[in-house]
Coordinates of all heavy atoms in Angstrom, one line a residue:
M1 N -6.1 -2.7 21.1 CA -6.4 -1.2 21.1 C -6.2 -0.8 19.6 O -5.0 -0.6 19.2 CB -5.4 -0.6 22.0 CG -5.4 1.0 22.1 SD -6.9 1.6 22.8 CE -6.9 1.0 24.4
D2 N -7.2 -0.5 19.0 CA -7.2 0.0 17.5 C -6.9 1.5 17.5 O -7.2 2.2 18.5 CB -8.4 -0.4 16.9 CG -8.3 -0.4 15.3 OD1 -7.2 -0.3 14.9 OD2 -9.4 -0.3 14.6
E3 N -6.4 2.0 16.4 CA -6.1 3.4 16.3 C -5.2 3.9 17.2 O -5.3 5.1 17.7 CB -7.5 4.2 16.3 CG -8.5 3.8 15.2 CD -8.1 4.2 13.7 OE1 -7.3 5.2 13.6 OE2 -8.4 3.5 12.8
S4 N -4.2 3.1 17.7 CA -3.3 3.6 18.7 C -2.4 4.7 18.3 O -1.8 5.4 19.2 CB -2.4 2.4 19.1 OG -3.1 1.3 19.7
Q5 N -2.3 5.0 17.1 CA -1.5 6.2 16.6 C -2.1 7.5 17.0 O -1.4 8.5 17.0 CB -1.3 6.1 15.0 CG -2.5 6.6 14.2 CD -3.7 5.5 14.1 OE1 -3.6 4.5 14.7 NE2 -4.7 5.9 13.3
N6 N -3.4 7.5 17.4 CA -4.0 8.7 18.0 C -3.8 8.8 19.4 O -4.4 9.8 20.0 CB -5.5 8.6 17.5 CG -5.7 8.9 16.1 OD1 -5.1 9.8 15.5 ND2 -6.4 8.1 15.4
L7 N -3.1 8.0 20.1 CA -2.9 8.1 21.6 C -1.6 8.9 21.8 O -0.7 8.8 21.0 CB -2.9 6.7 22.2 CG -4.1 5.8 22.1 CD1 -3.9 4.5 22.6 CD2 -5.3 6.5 22.8
T8 N -1.6 9.5 22.8 CA -0.3 10.1 23.4 C 0.6 9.2 24.1 O 0.1 8.1 24.5 CB -0.6 11.4 24.3 OG1 -1.1 10.8 25.5 CG2 -1.6 12.4 23.7
P9 N 1.8 9.4 24.2 CA 2.7 8.5 24.9 C 2.2 8.3 26.4 O 2.2 7.3 26.9 CB 4.1 9.3 24.9 CG 4.1 10.0 23.6 CD 2.6 10.5 23.5
H10 N 1.6 9.4 27.0 CA 1.1 9.3 28.4 C -0.1 8.3 28.3 O -0.3 7.5 29.3 CB 0.7 10.6 28.9 CG 0.1 10.6 30.2 ND1 0.9 10.3 31.4 CD2 -1.2 10.7 30.6 CE1 0.1 10.4 32.4 NE2 -1.1 10.6 32.0
E11 N -1.0 8.4 27.4 CA -2.2 7.5 27.3 C -1.7 6.1 27.2 O -2.3 5.2 27.8 CB -3.1 8.0 26.2 CG -3.8 9.2 26.5 CD -4.5 9.8 25.3 OE1 -4.0 9.7 24.2 OE2 -5.6 10.5 25.6
I12 N -0.7 5.8 26.3 CA -0.2 4.4 26.1 C 0.4 3.9 27.4 O 0.1 2.7 27.7 CB 0.9 4.4 25.1 CG1 0.3 4.6 23.6 CG2 1.6 3.2 25.1 CD1 -0.3 3.4 23.0
K13 N 1.1 4.7 28.1 CA 1.6 4.3 29.4 C 0.5 4.0 30.4 O 0.5 3.0 31.2 CB 2.6 5.3 30.0 CG 3.1 5.0 31.4 CD 4.1 6.0 31.8 CE 4.6 5.5 33.2 NZ 5.6 6.6 33.6
T14 N -0.5 4.8 30.5 CA -1.6 4.6 31.3 C -2.3 3.3 31.0 O -2.6 2.6 32.0 CB -2.7 5.8 31.1 OG1 -2.0 7.0 31.5 CG2 -3.9 5.6 32.1
I15 N -2.5 2.9 29.8 CA -3.2 1.7 29.5 C -2.3 0.5 29.9 O -2.8 -0.5 30.5 CB -3.5 1.7 28.0 CG1 -4.6 2.7 27.6 CG2 -4.0 0.3 27.5 CD1 -4.7 3.0 26.2
I16 N -1.0 0.5 29.4 CA -0.1 -0.6 29.7 C 0.1 -0.9 31.2 O 0.1 -2.0 31.7 CB 1.2 -0.5 28.9 CG1 0.9 -0.6 27.5 CG2 2.1 -1.6 29.3 CD1 2.1 -0.2 26.6
T17 N 0.2 0.2 31.9 CA 0.6 0.1 33.4 C -0.7 -0.5 34.2 O -0.5 -0.7 35.4 CB 1.2 1.2 34.0 OG1 0.1 2.4 33.8 CG2 2.5 1.7 33.4
R18 N -1.8 -0.6 33.6 CA -3.0 -1.1 34.2 C -3.2 -2.6 34.0 O -4.1 -3.3 34.5 CB -4.3 -0.4 33.9 CG -4.6 0.9 34.5 CD -3.6 1.7 35.1 NE -3.9 3.0 35.6 CZ -3.1 4.0 35.6 NH1 -1.9 4.0 34.9 NH2 -3.5 5.2 36.2
A19 N -2.3 -3.2 33.1 CA -2.5 -4.6 32.8 C -2.1 -5.6 34.0 O -1.1 -5.3 34.7 CB -1.6 -4.9 31.6
G20 N -3.0 -6.6 34.1 CA -2.6 -7.5 35.2 C -1.9 -8.7 34.7 O -1.6 -8.9 33.5
E21 N -1.5 -9.6 35.6 CA -0.8 -10.8 35.2 C -1.5 -11.6 34.2 O -2.7 -11.8 34.4 CB -0.5 -11.6 36.6 CG 0.5 -12.7 36.3 CD 1.9 -12.2 36.1 OE1 2.3 -11.2 36.6 OE2 2.7 -12.9 35.3
G22 N -0.8 -12.0 33.2 CA -1.5 -12.9 32.1 C -2.1 -12.1 31.0 O -2.7 -12.7 30.1
T23 N -2.2 -10.8 31.2 CA -2.8 -10.0 30.2 C -2.1 -10.0 28.9 O -0.9 -9.9 28.9 CB -2.9 -8.5 30.7 OG1 -3.8 -8.5 31.9 CG2 -3.6 -7.7 29.6
K24 N -2.8 -10.0 27.8 CA -2.1 -9.9 26.5 C -2.7 -8.6 25.8 O -4.0 -8.5 25.8 CB -2.3 -11.0 25.6 CG -1.6 -12.3 26.1 CD -1.8 -13.4 25.1 CE -1.1 -14.6 25.6 NZ -1.1 -15.8 24.8
M25 N -1.9 -7.7 25.3 CA -2.4 -6.6 24.7 C -2.0 -6.5 23.2 O -0.8 -6.9 22.9 CB -1.9 -5.3 25.3 CG -2.4 -5.1 26.8 SD -1.8 -3.6 27.5 CE -3.1 -3.3 28.7
V26 N -2.9 -6.1 22.3 CA -2.5 -5.8 20.9 C -2.9 -4.4 20.6 O -4.1 -4.0 20.7 CB -3.3 -6.8 20.1 CG1 -2.9 -6.6 18.6 CG2 -3.0 -8.3 20.4
F27 N -1.9 -3.7 20.1 CA -2.1 -2.3 19.7 C -1.9 -2.3 18.2 O -0.9 -2.8 17.7 CB -1.0 -1.4 20.3 CG -1.2 -1.3 21.9 CD1 -0.6 -2.2 22.7 CD2 -1.9 -0.2 22.3 CE1 -0.8 -2.0 24.1 CE2 -2.0 -0.1 23.8 CZ -1.5 -1.0 24.6
T28 N -2.8 -1.6 17.5 CA -2.8 -1.6 16.1 C -2.9 -0.1 15.7 O -3.5 0.7 16.5 CB -3.8 -2.3 15.4 OG1 -5.2 -1.8 15.8 CG2 -3.9 -3.8 15.7
G29 N -2.5 0.3 14.5 CA -2.5 1.6 14.1 C -1.7 1.9 12.9 O -1.0 1.1 12.4
D30 N -2.0 3.0 12.2 CA -1.4 3.4 11.0 C -0.9 4.9 11.2 O -1.8 5.7 11.3 CB -2.3 3.3 9.8 CG -1.8 3.8 8.5 OD1 -0.7 4.3 8.5 OD2 -2.5 3.5 7.4
I31 N 0.5 5.0 11.2 CA 1.0 6.3 11.5 C 0.8 7.3 10.3 O 1.0 8.5 10.6 CB 2.5 6.2 12.0 CG1 3.3 5.6 10.9 CG2 2.6 5.5 13.3 CD1 4.8 5.7 11.1
Q32 N 0.2 6.8 9.3 CA -0.1 7.7 8.2 C -1.5 8.3 8.3 O -2.0 9.1 7.6 CB 0.0 7.0 6.8 CG 1.4 6.4 6.6 CD 2.5 7.5 6.7 OE1 2.4 8.7 6.2 NE2 3.6 7.2 7.4
Q33 N -2.3 7.8 9.5 CA -3.7 8.3 9.6 C -3.8 8.9 11.0 O -4.7 8.4 11.8 CB -4.6 7.0 9.4 CG -4.6 6.6 7.9 CD -5.6 5.5 7.8 OE1 -5.9 4.7 8.7 NE2 -6.3 5.6 6.7
I34 N -3.1 9.8 11.4 CA -3.2 10.5 12.7 C -4.2 11.6 12.5 O -4.0 12.4 11.7 CB -1.8 11.0 13.2 CG1 -0.8 9.7 13.3 CG2 -1.9 11.8 14.3 CD1 0.6 10.1 13.6
D35 N -5.1 11.4 13.5 CA -6.2 12.5 13.5 C -6.1 13.5 14.6 O -6.9 14.4 14.6 CB -7.5 11.7 13.7 CG -7.9 10.7 12.6 OD1 -7.7 11.1 11.5 OD2 -8.4 9.6 12.9
Q36 N -5.1 13.4 15.5 CA -4.8 14.3 16.5 C -4.0 15.5 16.0 O -2.9 15.2 15.5 CB -4.2 13.7 17.7 CG -5.0 12.6 18.4 CD -6.1 13.2 19.2 OE1 -6.2 14.3 19.4 NE2 -7.1 12.3 19.6
P37 N -4.4 16.7 16.2 CA -3.7 17.9 15.7 C -2.3 18.1 16.3 O -1.4 18.7 15.9 CB -4.5 19.1 16.1 CG -5.5 18.6 17.1 CD -5.7 17.1 16.9
Y38 N -2.1 17.5 17.6 CA -0.8 17.7 18.3 C 0.1 16.5 18.2 O 1.2 16.5 18.9 CB -1.2 18.0 19.8 CG -2.0 19.3 19.9 CD1 -3.3 19.1 20.4 CD2 -1.4 20.5 19.5 CE1 -4.1 20.3 20.4 CE2 -2.3 21.7 19.6 CZ -3.6 21.5 20.1 OH -4.4 22.7 20.1
L39 N -0.3 15.5 17.5 CA 0.6 14.4 17.2 C 1.0 14.3 15.8 O 0.4 14.7 15.0 CB -0.2 13.0 17.6 CG -0.7 12.9 19.1 CD1 -1.5 11.6 19.2 CD2 0.5 12.9 20.0
D40 N 2.2 13.6 15.6 CA 2.6 13.4 14.3 C 3.2 11.9 14.2 O 3.2 11.2 15.2 CB 3.7 14.4 13.8 CG 4.9 14.5 14.6 OD1 5.4 13.4 15.2 OD2 5.5 15.5 14.7
S41 N 3.8 11.6 13.1 CA 4.3 10.2 12.8 C 5.5 9.9 13.8 O 5.8 8.6 13.8 CB 4.7 10.0 11.3 OG 5.7 10.8 11.1
Q42 N 6.0 10.8 14.5 CA 7.1 10.5 15.4 C 6.7 10.7 16.9 O 7.4 10.1 17.7 CB 8.3 11.4 15.0 CG 8.9 11.1 13.7 CD 9.3 9.6 13.5 OE1 10.1 9.1 14.3 NE2 8.8 9.0 12.5
S43 N 5.7 11.5 17.2 CA 5.5 11.9 18.5 C 4.2 11.0 19.1 O 3.9 11.3 20.3 CB 5.2 13.4 18.6 OG 3.9 13.7 18.0
N44 N 3.5 10.3 18.3 CA 2.4 9.6 18.8 C 2.7 8.3 19.8 O 3.9 7.8 19.8 CB 1.5 9.0 17.7 CG 2.3 8.0 16.9 OD1 2.1 6.8 17.2 ND2 2.8 8.4 15.8
G45 N 1.7 7.9 20.5 CA 1.9 6.8 21.5 C 2.3 5.6 20.9 O 3.2 4.8 21.5
L46 N 1.9 5.1 19.7 CA 2.2 3.8 19.2 C 3.7 3.8 18.9 O 4.4 2.9 19.2 CB 1.3 3.7 17.9 CG 1.6 2.3 17.2 CD1 1.3 1.1 18.0 CD2 0.8 2.3 15.9
V47 N 4.2 4.9 18.2 CA 5.7 4.9 17.8 C 6.5 5.0 19.1 O 7.6 4.4 19.2 CB 6.0 6.1 16.9 CG1 7.4 6.4 16.7 CG2 5.3 5.9 15.6
Y48 N 6.0 5.7 20.0 CA 6.7 5.9 21.4 C 6.9 4.4 22.1 O 7.9 4.1 22.5 CB 6.0 6.8 22.3 CG 6.5 7.0 23.7 CD1 7.6 7.7 24.0 CD2 5.8 6.3 24.7 CE1 8.1 7.9 25.2 CE2 6.3 6.3 26.0 CZ 7.4 7.1 26.3 OH 7.9 7.2 27.6
M49 N 5.8 3.8 22.1 CA 5.8 2.4 22.7 C 6.7 1.5 21.9 O 7.5 0.8 22.7 CB 4.4 1.8 22.7 CG 4.3 0.4 23.3 SD 2.7 -0.5 23.0 CE 2.5 -0.4 21.3
I50 N 6.6 1.5 20.7 CA 7.5 0.5 19.9 C 9.0 0.9 20.2 O 9.8 -0.1 20.4 CB 7.2 0.7 18.4 CG1 5.8 0.1 18.1 CG2 8.3 0.0 17.5 CD1 5.3 0.5 16.8
D51 N 9.3 2.2 20.2 CA 10.7 2.6 20.5 C 11.1 2.2 21.8 O 12.2 1.6 22.0 CB 10.9 4.1 20.2 CG 12.2 4.5 20.4 OD1 13.1 4.0 19.7 OD2 12.5 5.5 21.2
K52 N 10.4 2.4 22.8 CA 10.8 2.1 24.2 C 10.8 0.6 24.6 O 11.5 0.1 25.4 CB 9.9 2.9 25.2 CG 9.9 4.4 25.1 CD 11.3 4.9 25.5 CE 11.3 6.3 25.6 NZ 12.6 6.9 26.0
M53 N 9.8 -0.2 24.0 CA 9.7 -1.5 24.3 C 10.6 -2.5 23.4 O 10.7 -3.7 23.8 CB 8.3 -2.0 24.2 CG 7.4 -1.2 25.2 SD 7.6 -1.5 26.9 CE 6.6 -3.1 27.1
K54 N 11.1 -2.1 22.3 CA 11.8 -3.0 21.5 C 12.9 -3.6 22.3 O 13.6 -3.0 23.1 CB 12.3 -2.3 20.2 CG 13.3 -1.2 20.4 CD 13.6 -0.6 19.0 CE 14.5 0.7 19.3 NZ 14.6 1.5 18.0
G55 N 13.2 -4.9 22.1 CA 14.3 -5.6 22.7 C 13.8 -6.3 24.0 O 14.5 -7.1 24.6
Q56 N 12.6 -5.9 24.5 CA 12.1 -6.6 25.7 C 11.5 -7.9 25.4 O 10.8 -8.0 24.4 CB 11.1 -5.7 26.3 CG 11.6 -4.3 26.7 CD 12.8 -4.4 27.7 OE1 12.6 -5.2 28.7 NE2 13.8 -3.7 27.5
N57 N 11.6 -8.9 26.3 CA 11.1 -10.3 26.1 C 9.7 -10.4 26.1 O 9.1 -11.3 25.7 CB 11.8 -11.3 26.9 CG 11.5 -11.0 28.4 OD1 10.9 -10.1 28.8 ND2 12.0 -12.0 29.2
L58 N 9.0 -9.3 26.6 CA 7.5 -9.5 26.7 C 6.9 -8.7 25.6 O 5.6 -8.5 25.5 CB 7.1 -8.8 28.0 CG 7.4 -9.6 29.3 CD1 6.9 -8.8 30.5 CD2 6.8 -11.0 29.3
F59 N 7.7 -8.2 24.6 CA 7.1 -7.3 23.5 C 7.5 -8.0 22.2 O 8.6 -8.4 21.9 CB 7.7 -5.9 23.7 CG 7.4 -5.0 22.7 CD1 6.1 -4.3 22.8 CD2 8.1 -4.7 21.7 CE1 5.8 -3.4 21.8 CE2 7.9 -3.8 20.7 CZ 6.6 -3.2 20.7
T60 N 6.6 -7.8 21.3 CA 6.9 -8.1 19.8 C 6.2 -7.1 19.0 O 5.1 -6.6 19.3 CB 6.2 -9.5 19.6 OG1 6.8 -10.5 20.3 CG2 6.4 -9.9 18.0
H61 N 6.9 -6.8 17.9 CA 6.4 -5.8 17.0 C 6.3 -6.4 15.6 O 7.2 -7.0 15.1 CB 7.3 -4.5 17.0 CG 6.9 -3.5 16.0 ND1 7.8 -3.1 15.0 CD2 5.8 -2.9 15.6 CE1 7.2 -2.3 14.2 NE2 6.0 -2.0 14.6
V62 N 5.2 -6.2 14.9 CA 5.0 -6.6 13.6 C 4.6 -5.5 12.7 O 3.7 -4.7 13.1 CB 3.9 -7.8 13.4 CG1 3.7 -8.2 11.9 CG2 4.3 -8.9 14.3
N63 N 5.3 -5.2 11.7 CA 5.0 -4.2 10.8 C 4.4 -4.6 9.5 O 5.2 -5.3 8.8 CB 6.4 -3.2 10.5 CG 6.0 -2.0 9.8 OD1 5.0 -1.4 9.9 ND2 7.0 -1.6 8.9
L64 N 3.2 -4.4 9.2 CA 2.6 -4.8 8.0 C 2.8 -3.7 6.8 O 2.7 -2.6 7.1 CB 1.1 -5.0 8.1 CG 0.7 -6.0 9.3 CD1 -0.8 -6.1 9.4 CD2 1.3 -7.4 8.9
V65 N 3.3 -4.2 5.7 CA 3.6 -3.2 4.7 C 2.4 -2.8 3.8 O 2.4 -1.7 3.1 CB 4.7 -3.7 3.8 CG1 6.0 -3.7 4.5 CG2 4.4 -5.1 3.2
K66 N 1.3 -3.6 3.8 CA 0.2 -3.3 3.0 C -1.1 -3.7 3.7 O -1.2 -4.8 4.2 CB 0.2 -4.0 1.6 CG -1.0 -3.5 0.7 CD -0.8 -4.1 -0.6 CE -2.0 -3.7 -1.5 NZ -3.2 -3.4 -1.2
G67 N -2.0 -2.8 3.8 CA -3.4 -3.1 4.4 C -4.4 -3.2 3.3 O -4.3 -2.7 2.2
E68 N -5.6 -3.9 3.6 CA -6.6 -3.9 2.7 C -7.6 -2.8 3.1 O -8.1 -2.8 4.2 CB -7.3 -5.3 2.7 CG -6.3 -6.5 2.3 CD -5.9 -6.3 0.8 OE1 -6.8 -5.9 0.0 OE2 -4.8 -6.6 0.5
R69 N -8.0 -2.0 2.2 CA -8.9 -0.9 2.4 C -9.9 -0.8 1.2 O -9.6 -1.3 0.1 CB -8.1 0.4 2.5 CG -7.0 0.4 3.5 CD -6.2 1.6 3.6 NE -7.0 2.6 4.2 CZ -6.7 3.9 4.3 NH1 -5.6 4.3 3.9 NH2 -7.5 4.8 4.9
S70 N -11.0 -0.2 1.5 CA -12.0 0.0 0.4 C -11.5 1.1 -0.6 O -10.6 1.8 -0.2 CB -13.3 0.5 1.1 OG -13.1 1.8 1.6
Q71 N -12.0 1.0 -1.7 CA -11.6 2.0 -2.7 C -11.8 3.5 -2.2 O -11.1 4.4 -2.4 CB -12.5 1.9 -4.0 CG -11.9 0.7 -4.8 CD -12.7 0.5 -6.2 OE1 -13.9 0.9 -6.2 NE2 -12.1 0.1 -7.1
L72 N -13.0 3.6 -1.5 CA -13.4 4.9 -1.0 C -12.3 5.4 0.1 O -11.8 6.5 0.1 CB -14.8 5.1 -0.4 CG -15.2 6.3 0.3 CD1 -15.1 7.4 -0.7 CD2 -16.5 6.2 1.0
S73 N -11.9 4.5 0.9 CA -11.0 4.7 2.0 C -9.6 5.1 1.4 O -8.9 6.1 1.9 CB -10.9 3.6 2.9 OG -9.9 3.8 3.9
E74 N -9.2 4.3 0.4 CA -7.9 4.5 -0.3 C -7.9 6.0 -1.0 O -7.0 6.7 -0.9 CB -7.7 3.4 -1.3 CG -6.2 3.4 -1.8 CD -5.3 3.1 -0.6 OE1 -5.5 2.0 0.1 OE2 -4.3 3.8 -0.6
L75 N -9.0 6.3 -1.7 CA -9.1 7.5 -2.4 C -9.1 8.7 -1.4 O -8.4 9.6 -1.6 CB -10.5 7.6 -3.1 CG -10.7 8.9 -3.9 CD1 -9.6 9.0 -5.0 CD2 -12.1 8.8 -4.6
A76 N -9.9 8.6 -0.3 CA -9.8 9.7 0.7 C -8.5 9.9 1.4 O -8.0 10.9 1.6 CB -10.9 9.3 1.8
S77 N -7.7 8.8 1.7 CA -6.4 8.8 2.2 C -5.5 9.6 1.2 O -4.6 10.3 1.6 CB -5.9 7.4 2.4 OG -4.7 7.3 3.1
T78 N -5.6 9.2 0.0 CA -4.7 9.9 -1.0 C -5.0 11.3 -1.3 O -4.2 12.1 -1.3 CB -4.8 9.1 -2.4 OG1 -4.4 7.8 -2.1 CG2 -3.9 9.7 -3.4
L79 N -6.3 11.6 -1.4 CA -6.8 13.0 -1.8 C -6.9 13.9 -0.6 O -6.7 15.1 -0.8 CB -8.0 13.0 -2.6 CG -8.0 12.3 -3.9 CD1 -9.3 12.3 -4.5 CD2 -6.9 12.8 -4.9
L80 N -7.3 13.5 0.5 CA -7.6 14.4 1.7 C -6.4 14.4 2.6 O -6.3 15.1 3.5 CB -8.8 13.9 2.4 CG -10.1 13.9 1.5 CD1 -11.3 13.2 2.3 CD2 -10.5 15.2 1.0

């Protein structure tokens, strides 16, 4: 699930609670790129899921410190 930072906590719950046995889910997102006007870096579904699921044996979280982006994308992120 790409762009998970734009999901609400309710939407994240809806997605995960539909998973069947043997399902693997990968949620990706950048909390610095939230496009939803009612979400922020603390209230979005991705952060909510990480906070609630940490420490569970079925859950792993990896935080990447640098992503590869085009020059245009990096410029827009900085200026806009």
Side-chain angles (χ1 to χ4, degrees):
M1 177 69 59
D2 197 14
E3 300 289 333
S4 297
Q5 78 279 4
N6 288 312
L7 299 174
T8 66
H10 179 74
E11 290 168 328
I12 287 280
K13 180 179 179 179
T14 299
I15 293 164
I16 295 173
T17 58
R18 279 19 179 216
E21 192 66 35
T23 300
K24 292 183 182 182
M25 295 183 156
V26 177
F27 292 85
T28 63
D30 182 346
I31 61 169
Q32 303 305 316
Q33 291 186 326
I34 295 173
D35 300 320
Q36 295 288 349
Y38 302 109
L39 297 175
D40 62 31
S41 63
Q42 297 303 306
S43 67
N44 67 81
L46 182 61
V47 170
Y48 173 80
M49 175 189 59
I50 292 166
D51 183 55
K52 296 294 184 177
M53 298 291 278
K54 65 183 170 191
Q56 299 299 314
N57 64 352
L58 294 176
F59 177 79
T60 299
H61 173 238
V62 176
N63 187 30
L64 304 176
V65 291
K66 183 173 183 331
E68 294 299 320
R69 304 178 73 182
S70 69
Q71 286 182 328
L72 176 59
S73 177
E74 196 66 50
L75 181 63
S77 179
T78 302
L79 297 178
L80 303 176

